[in-house]
Amino acid sequence: MKINQYKPWEQEEVKSLVNQSNKKLPILDIQLGGACNLNCIYCDTPKYGLPCSVNLSSIEKLMNDGDIKWVYVCGLGEPTAPANLKHLKQILQWCKERNIGLSMFSNMLNVDKELLDYIDDGTLHVLFKLDTFDKDKMAYLYGQDKGDIILRNYQALKEVTHAENGVTNLGASIVPTSVNYNELPSIIDYCMENGIFPFNWTIRRCW
C-alpha cells in the first residue's frame, strides 16, 4: 500500500515554490502564542505563558502584496488553544478568500465545525497528534484526561480526509515513546487505511 504525501510537503508543490520566478514572497511561516490545551510529557517547547503577538494587519498586507501560496503555522503553542484560535480563524478566512493553503501542527482537541469545513474545502491542511488509541495512555502522555474527545475528533477528521493521486490533506504527527511503541504498527496501518500521511518524530523515552 503506497504512502500518500502530505500536500504542503509534496515534491511538486515544493518545487513550484522554489522555482517561483516572479520573486514575490511565496510562503508565510507564522508562530502564534505559546498557549496549549494539553501538557504533553515529551513537549520540548513549554512556553505556555507567551502571548500571541502576531500583527494581523501585517499578515494581511503580506498576503496582498506577495504571491503567497502557503501559510505554515508551527512552533510555540497549540493553534486551536483559546488564546490563539481567533487569530488562526482570521488567517484562515483570509486564506480561503485568496485561495491560499494553510498547514499547521495541532492536537485538534478543540476541533469544531468551522475548522472541519476549512479542512473539507481545501483551505486547511493538518498534521495532527496521533500517538495512541488508548485513553489511559493519552492521559499519561498528554497530561489531560481528554481521551473521549480526542477519539471522537479522530473520527471527525477521517470524514474530511481527501487523499487523491498519492497526495493527502491530513497527516498524523506520531511521537514514538516507550509508552506507545507496541502500538506503532497499528497506528501506521490506521493512517495507510484512511489516506493519512504518517509522520514519525524521534523516539522518546517516557518513564
Side-chain angles (χ1 to χ4, degrees):
M1 189 180 298
K2 185 178 179 181
I3 294 178
N4 288 289
Q5 297 181 76
Y6 180 54
K7 182 175 175 60
W9 298 350
E10 190 260 333
Q11 291 181 3
E12 292 304 316
E13 193 75 31
V14 172
K15 284 181 183 178
S16 69
L17 294 174
V18 171
N19 296 328
Q20 188 164 308
S21 60
N22 61 16
K23 305 302 181 183
K24 288 189 175 183
L25 190 67
I27 63 172
L28 290 178
D29 189 352
I30 299 172
Q31 291 189 341
L32 302 179
C36 190
N37 44 23
L38 294 179
N39 187 20
C40 297
I41 195 170
Y42 51 68
C43 181
D44 55 6
T45 57
K47 299 181 180 179
Y48 305 130
L50 200 65
C52 184
S53 59
V54 297
N55 186 314
L56 290 175
S57 296
S58 295
I59 290 174
E60 185 179 25
K61 186 175 188 305
L62 287 169
M63 286 183 173
N64 291 334
D65 294 346
D67 189 12
I68 307 297
K69 298 293 190 296
W70 284 99
V71 173
Y72 297 99
V73 178
C74 175
L76 299 178
E78 166 54 43
T80 69
N84 294 323
L85 186 57
K86 65 180 181 180
H87 298 83
L88 174 67
K89 287 188 173 181
Q90 178 60 77
I91 296 167
L92 278 167
Q93 180 184 327
W94 288 333
C95 285
K96 181 174 181 177
E97 292 169 354
R98 294 161 175 79
N99 196 31
I100 296 171
L102 187 148
S103 171
M104 71 177 183
F105 280 92
S106 174
N107 59 44
M108 293 301 280
L109 182 63
N110 288 342
V111 63
D112 58 20
K113 185 179 185 303
E114 185 175 1
L115 292 178
L116 290 171
D117 285 346
Y118 279 124
I119 296 172
D120 199 28
D121 69 24
T123 303
L124 178 58
H125 301 69
V126 183
L127 283 164
F128 65 95
K129 182 183 294 297
L130 175 52
D131 299 327
T132 179
F133 296 105
D134 185 293
K135 290 187 286 186
D136 291 333
K137 291 179 182 178
M138 287 179 189
Y140 177 73
L141 289 172
Y142 303 159
Q144 297 281 347
D145 187 11
K146 303 289 186 180
D148 288 332
I149 297 173
I150 292 170
L151 290 174
R152 184 170 67 243
N153 289 346
Y154 287 166
Q155 182 61 39
L157 287 170
K158 276 175 53 177
E159 295 174 4
V160 291
T161 305
H162 297 297
E164 299 176 0
N165 301 318
V167 178
T168 181
N169 61 338
L170 292 180
S173 175
I174 307 165
V175 180
T177 69
S178 58
V179 174
N180 69 345
Y181 71 94
N182 285 331
E183 274 191 274
L184 295 180
S186 62
I187 293 172
I188 300 298
D189 286 345
Y190 175 88
C191 292
M192 300 287 282
E193 291 166 3
N194 291 286
I196 298 168
F197 169 68
F199 178 63
N200 287 295
W201 291 88
T202 304
I203 293 177
R204 310 287 181 93
R205 184 139 187 111
C206 299
W207 301 100

